[in-house]
């Protein structure tokens, strides 16, 4: 019975990784142009994902949902404080160059809670899960544009924080969704249907982008870098399972617990490469971390879901 249940979960998650494989194969075979990553990323982040967030928050107001939302907000803040603390500890004890430490620290803190996280949450929890995942990702955006920019290269980055950086389409969608939820506003039928159809393309497009990005990564150094394996162990197993054990000891409902733990256990964020390129970090190491953690998350994500 246990084995059958695990296989059923694995098969569900396998669908997501087949979509990643599709993007990987099309890029390797040069069926799509190199510009596909940037074009589809922009489409997902600026259009399809905001549409998915708005429709998933289009619920009638209830005190239970508001309590769940508040719980996810404060738990997510605590989880990020935990990951930041662990990242500084690893930075202190890990024998590496300063530029490598920047990337390792970034990889511990920032997971792929959007391109992989949303599809997994949608698969397991549906719209109610997306509703809460949007709050988790709102805090992700706050963290990545503040401490993330500083960590990726603290010695040469002169980027100053601007509140405008937080006003992304995803954050705007959360604000709109909150208004719809708090005031129980029903969207007109044609608008809701349009947003649902657009938002429904988020999962395949996002995972196609992940696969395409992974196709560009040089594999030769990945499997012999023990430090990268250590970071992978922390990102995929230690951190999420520690959060799981901690939340199980608290009066937290299953939905809040599940969304928080699964998003905490996602592979390294693809923005690690983007930020490394933008701010002079080690983007090759960031790419290797994305590949290894995304590959192994095909095993750890079903395990997390099974334990939940």
């Amino acid at each position: 019975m246990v084995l059958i249940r695990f296989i059923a979960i694995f098969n569900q998650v396998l669908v997501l990784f087949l979509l990643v494989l599709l993007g990987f194969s099309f890029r390797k075979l040069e069926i799509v142009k190199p510009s596909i990553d940037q074009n589809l990323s922009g489409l997902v982040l600026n259009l399809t994902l905001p549409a998915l967030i708005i429709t998933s928050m289009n619920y009638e107001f209830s005190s239970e949902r508001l309590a769940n939302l508040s719980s996810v907000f404060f738990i997510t803040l605590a989880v990020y404080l935990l990951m930041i603390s662990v990242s500084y500890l690893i930075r202190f004890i890990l024998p590496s160059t300063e530029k490598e430490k920047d990337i390792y620290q970034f990889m511990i803190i920032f997971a792929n809670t959007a391109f992989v996280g949303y599809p997994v949450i949608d698969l397991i929890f549906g719209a109610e899960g997306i509703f809460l995942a949007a709050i988790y990702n709102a805090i992700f955006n706050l963290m990545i544009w503040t401490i993330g920019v500083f960590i990726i290269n603290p010695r040469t980055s002169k980027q100053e924080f601007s509140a405008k950086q937080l006003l992304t389409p995803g954050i705007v969608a959360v604000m709109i969704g909150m208004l719809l939820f708090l005031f129980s506003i029903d969207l007109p039928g044609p608008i809701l249907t349009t947003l649902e159809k657009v938002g429904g393309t988020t999962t395949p497009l996002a995972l196609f982008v992940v696969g395409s990005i992974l196709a560009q990564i040089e594999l030769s150094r990945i499997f012999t870098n023990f430090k990268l394996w250590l970071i992978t162990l922390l990102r995929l197993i230690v951190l999420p399972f520690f959060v799981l054990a901690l939340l199980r000891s608290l009066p937290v409902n299953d939905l809040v617990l599940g969304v928080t733990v699964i998003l905490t256990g996602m592979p390294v964020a693809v923005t690690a490469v983007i930020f490394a390129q933008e701010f002079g970090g080690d983007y090759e190491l960031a790419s290797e971390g994305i590949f290894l953690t995304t590959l192994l998350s095909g095993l750890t994500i079903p395990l997390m879901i099974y334990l939940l």
Side-chain angles (χ1 to χ4, degrees), residues 104-175:
Y104 289 138
Q105 191 174 4
F106 192 93
M107 289 194 290
I108 290 172
I109 301 172
F110 299 106
N112 198 337
T113 55
F115 285 102
V116 178
Y118 275 117
V120 173
I121 293 298
D122 191 27
L123 172 72
I124 304 303
F125 299 109
E128 287 273 10
I130 295 293
F131 177 67
L132 299 180
I135 304 304
Y136 192 108
N137 275 282
I139 297 175
F140 169 92
N141 278 286
L142 172 64
M143 293 294 180
I144 203 168
W145 281 109
T146 50
I147 191 169
V149 171
F150 173 75
I151 283 176
I152 203 71
N153 201 331
R155 291 162 300 283
T156 61
S157 176
K158 298 180 180 179
Q159 176 85 356
E160 294 184 1
F161 170 73
S162 169
K164 291 182 178 179
Q165 293 170 331
L166 296 180
L167 205 62
T168 63
I171 297 297
V172 172
V174 171
M175 294 177 180

Side-chain angles (χ1 to χ4, degrees), residues 159-307:
Q159 176 85 356
E160 294 184 1
F161 170 73
S162 169
K164 291 182 178 179
Q165 293 170 331
L166 296 180
L167 205 62
T168 63
I171 297 297
V172 172
V174 171
M175 294 177 180
I176 294 172
M178 283 298 298
L179 290 175
L180 296 176
F181 168 66
L182 291 174
F183 297 101
S184 295
I185 300 172
D186 291 325
L187 290 171
I191 293 178
L192 178 61
T193 301
T194 300
L195 289 175
E196 285 175 341
K197 288 185 179 298
V198 172
T201 66
T202 299
T203 293
L205 289 179
L207 296 176
F208 188 95
V209 171
V210 172
S212 180
I213 290 173
L214 294 180
Q216 306 168 56
I217 296 172
E218 178 60 48
L219 305 182
S220 58
R221 299 188 305 167
I222 294 177
F223 298 104
T224 57
N225 185 345
F226 84 92
K227 289 176 284 189
L228 194 58
W229 281 94
L230 173 62
I231 300 302
T232 299
L233 179 67
L234 285 170
R235 166 109 302 285
L236 297 182
I237 298 178
V238 176
L239 286 170
F241 287 105
F242 178 81
V243 171
L244 173 61
L246 185 61
L247 292 183
R248 283 229 185 265
S249 66
L250 300 174
V252 176
N253 70 42
D254 290 343
L255 178 62
V256 171
L257 184 147
V259 168
T260 306
V261 170
I262 287 175
L263 290 178
T264 301
M266 288 295 105
V268 172
V270 294
T271 45
V273 172
I274 298 170
F275 271 48
Q277 290 177 322
E278 178 71 19
F279 302 118
D282 189 341
Y283 63 87
E284 291 184 353
L285 179 59
S287 299
E288 293 167 4
I290 291 169
F291 183 91
L292 184 60
T293 56
T294 303
L295 179 66
L296 295 181
S297 68
L299 297 175
T300 59
I301 289 174
L303 178 60
M304 275 193 298
I305 295 170
Y306 171 75
L307 291 176

